[in-house]
Amino acid sequence: VLFVQKIYRGDGNEPFEDLSYDIENTNDAINYLEDVLIGKLINANESFPLAIVNGIEIDGKGIVDYGKRKLKFHESMYIANRMHYDNTVKYLNLESCLMDRNKHWPMAPTSQLATKLAENDRLTDLNLSKCSITTAEAFRNFLQTNVTLKTLNLSDNPLGNAAAPLIIGLKSNEMLQTLIMGDCKLTTKMMEHFGEVFKVNDSLLTLEIPYNGITRYGAHVLAEGLKDNNGLITLDLNGCSIGTAGATSFAEMLKKN
């Protein structure tokens, strides 16, 4: 059952209070075209205060947890747009929602969420693990602009080298304390970016990047960046193939850090 409350159907000239409708689809499933159309309507009228969409409610809550719910496109758009204006939610859990699973959607829902969260001044914890994220460009601006987020979990998303913008965004971020990116297919090249980040960022306290393709060279450049870092307390490289040479690089780093 689909319930979308108060979608505006005017031409822009009339007061939308007189032209708002409840949309109800009593079929067992919503098709692709309906999903995208409703998502675009929600996006086009983001300032209109939709209270609830398909049982998803944001306003007035400190904790919003829809983990393991396979979100439709229009549901993701609703969450992204409501978070743009929200001033109550501190913890948002969208783990295993597979938000970016359909590459034919008009936009990547997690990118829309990151864009809308850039100016959010309340959220401190965001879990987007297992959301099928393959692009992180929007997260660069998010991390450069947002001043409240303390914990970001992006584990189990096949980002690979596409994680570069997000990592680079950390250079000018002074609030994030914990970044979790386990099993994100991160490469040695991404470790070079992290190494550069740690030369200027002392606010990140915990970096968890287990089960990634980090080689001994990746460990070396990461360790080099950490030599003069005064912030990081915890580094998780479990399941990474750094070998003896990589371990030696960290041992040398610890003599100075």
Side-chain angles (χ1 to χ4, degrees), residues 183-202:
D183 198 12
C184 283
K185 302 187 184 303
L186 300 180
T187 64
T188 292
K189 183 66 176 177
M190 297 305 97
M191 296 308 104
E192 292 178 354
H193 288 306
F194 271 122
E196 292 301 311
V197 165
F198 284 126
K199 292 177 181 179
V200 296
N201 182 314
D202 287 330

Side-chain angles (χ1 to χ4, degrees), residues 23-113:
I23 298 175
E24 178 179 345
N25 183 337
T26 55
N27 296 326
D28 291 335
I30 180 172
N31 66 35
Y32 171 84
L33 185 59
E34 291 169 331
D35 185 21
V36 170
L37 176 59
I38 295 171
K40 286 186 173 182
L41 284 169
I42 291 173
N43 212 30
N45 297 278
E46 66 165 290
S47 61
F48 191 80
L50 290 171
I52 303 174
V53 172
N54 296 350
I56 298 174
E57 189 172 3
I58 303 293
D59 294 353
K61 295 181 175 292
I63 297 175
V64 173
D65 186 351
Y66 291 106
K68 300 182 180 179
R69 172 171 175 158
K70 193 175 181 180
L71 292 173
K72 298 178 177 66
F73 177 72
H74 72 278
E75 293 172 337
S76 296
M77 290 299 101
Y78 167 71
I79 292 172
N81 288 324
R82 291 319 303 158
M83 289 302 298
H84 188 193
Y85 295 95
D86 177 78
N87 60 3
T88 59
V89 179
K90 297 188 69 174
Y91 175 79
L92 177 60
N93 178 30
L94 299 174
E95 175 192 1
S96 301
C97 287
L98 304 175
M99 294 172 69
D100 290 0
R101 65 187 179 278
N102 192 329
K103 304 309 174 187
H104 297 292
W105 280 339
M107 63 188 73
T110 60
S111 294
Q112 181 74 349
L113 178 62

Side-chain angles (χ1 to χ4, degrees), residues 128-252:
L128 292 174
S129 59
K130 292 185 179 180
C131 278
S132 305
I133 304 171
T134 57
T135 179
E137 190 62 45
F139 285 88
R140 184 206 315 242
N141 182 62
F142 170 45
L143 290 173
Q144 290 174 334
T145 307
N146 184 275
V147 295
T148 58
L149 193 73
K150 293 182 178 181
T151 301
L152 176 60
N153 188 342
L154 293 170
S155 292
D156 298 298
N157 288 296
L159 281 162
N161 287 337
L166 181 151
I167 299 171
I168 293 171
L170 289 169
K171 286 186 176 181
S172 55
N173 182 284
E174 298 180 353
M175 180 57 65
L176 195 72
Q177 297 178 356
T178 300
L179 177 61
I180 305 170
M181 298 185 71
D183 198 12
C184 283
K185 302 187 184 303
L186 300 180
T187 64
T188 292
K189 183 66 176 177
M190 297 305 97
M191 296 308 104
E192 292 178 354
H193 288 306
F194 271 122
E196 292 301 311
V197 165
F198 284 126
K199 292 177 181 179
V200 296
N201 182 314
D202 287 330
S203 59
L204 193 67
L205 305 179
T206 299
L207 177 62
E208 298 182 16
I209 47 175
Y211 301 103
N212 281 291
I214 304 170
T215 64
R216 60 184 182 180
Y217 175 71
H220 173 72
V221 293
L222 191 57
E224 285 295 308
L226 284 168
K227 281 184 176 179
D228 296 316
N229 180 275
N230 296 315
L232 197 72
I233 298 173
T234 303
L235 175 63
D236 183 355
L237 293 172
N238 186 37
C240 298
S241 303
I242 66 173
T244 302
T248 300
S249 295
F250 282 111
E252 292 298 316

